[in-house]
Amino acid sequence: MEARQLGAPFLRAENKLAQKEPDEQALKRASTGRTVAIVYVVAMGVWLGGQWLGPRLGLSGEYAILLDLAALAAFFWGLVVAWGLWRKR
């Protein structure tokens, strides 16, 4: 049976939501969300790499603390921006 026979309105061609093009604000929010995701991935990668590489290079604990603080700052920034995106939605 086809969806039209079953009366599923979400599968009909005349559904306005399925055909709607994203507006400029939605594209900007999506771009900002991707930026937050990239910041999270890069911050975590740099932090993990620094934790692994630091002792092998003989770096002192102060550098580990600086790396921890930088990662925390990146995660805090991402949290604030993601919260702002959620509020605008």
Side-chain angles (χ1 to χ4, degrees):
M1 272 190 176
E2 283 189 43
R4 291 178 189 227
Q5 292 173 348
L6 294 175
F10 55 89
L11 295 176
R12 291 186 184 153
E14 60 267 6
N15 188 351
K16 300 291 187 208
L17 292 176
Q19 297 174 357
K20 184 178 172 185
E21 290 292 323
D23 60 347
E24 189 67 32
Q25 289 179 344
L27 292 175
K28 184 169 172 49
R29 283 192 308 265
S31 174
T32 305
R34 283 189 296 272
T35 302
V36 169
I38 290 169
V39 167
Y40 279 166
V41 169
V42 169
M44 195 63 176
V46 168
W47 182 78
L48 284 172
Q51 296 299 318
W52 178 79
L53 192 59
R56 284 162 180 75
L57 294 177
L59 297 177
S60 65
E62 289 97 10
Y63 291 106
I65 292 173
L66 286 175
L67 195 59
D68 291 344
L69 290 176
L72 282 174
F75 289 132
F76 181 73
W77 176 85
L79 182 66
V80 169
V81 173
W83 183 68
L85 284 174
W86 176 72
R87 297 272 300 168
K88 288 179 184 176
R89 192 173 64 95

